[in-house]
Amino acid sequence: MSSPAQFRSHESVSVRVSPRTAALYLTGSREGFAQAREFTQRTLGCWSLERCADDAVTVVTELAANAVLHALPHTSTHEFPVRLRLTLRRAHLVCAVTDPSDSLPVHARTADPLLEHGRGLHIIEALSDHWGWTRRTPVGKTVWAMLPTCSRPDPDPTTHF
């Protein structure tokens, strides 16, 4: 069974498809999450989106963790690696992770806030404007989240000092 400690990323197989898209293939070792976060921060820096970096890094980490914990244990990573893809759209940054599992993402309904697992999709939902998943052919799925690239208006301007 794979775990985050066994997650690995090969920067040598990263792919820049266009100036508005960047991708990184992720396979099993300890450095994988750190490399995915660094890749996200570096890409957002190139796109002058540093203001989105904290939320994007959190979303990327949650998406990658879900793929590693739930998808990779059931497949051979050599046949179908996990792929992180960042796409810049007019008003959104799309963070997407493709994995080899056909299992749907599970939005856990937990009443215990102290549980160690089960809140990843809740975090993604809270930070993104939209999130969802798409089946891949012949196997796998892509789980994605759309983060706003423009500052959101403060709902209550009196809350700032």
Side-chain angles (χ1 to χ4, degrees):
M1 182 170 183
S2 295
S3 70
Q6 298 169 330
F7 188 62
R8 186 177 47 173
S9 164
H10 291 289
E11 192 104 34
S12 62
V13 293
S14 67
V15 178
R16 286 209 180 266
V17 178
S18 76
R20 299 176 70 84
T21 301
L24 178 68
Y25 289 98
L26 308 167
T27 58
S29 100
R30 173 184 304 235
E31 296 82 19
F33 290 125
Q35 289 177 336
R37 289 189 292 266
E38 290 168 13
F39 175 78
T40 300
Q41 288 178 322
R42 194 170 50 252
T43 300
L44 295 183
C46 290
W47 292 342
S48 300
L49 288 176
E50 291 87 353
R51 66 189 172 278
C52 301
D54 289 342
D55 288 351
V57 165
T58 301
V59 166
V60 162
T61 302
E62 292 298 334
L63 291 172
N66 284 345
V68 168
L69 291 173
H70 303 295
L72 290 187
H74 306 291
T75 61
S76 167
T77 59
H78 299 292
E79 294 173 17
F80 192 117
V82 172
R83 182 181 70 174
L84 164 63
R85 184 176 178 129
L86 304 173
T87 304
L88 180 58
R89 294 191 176 168
R90 190 176 56 129
H92 289 95
L93 170 68
V94 180
C95 303
V97 172
T98 300
D99 67 55
S101 173
D102 288 328
S103 298
L104 305 180
V106 176
H107 202 289
R109 307 234 187 272
T110 179
D112 185 354
L114 299 178
L115 287 177
E116 185 175 337
H117 296 286
R119 291 186 298 271
L121 291 177
H122 292 283
I123 292 168
I124 292 167
E125 184 173 50
L127 295 176
S128 65
D129 280 352
H130 308 286
W131 77 274
W133 59 272
T134 306
R135 285 200 190 274
R136 307 296 297 180
T137 306
V139 297
K141 69 179 171 304
T142 299
V143 183
W144 50 267
M146 296 176 66
L147 304 176
T149 55
C150 302
S151 298
R152 295 181 188 196
D154 189 351
D156 184 2
T158 62
T159 61
H160 294 289
F161 298 93

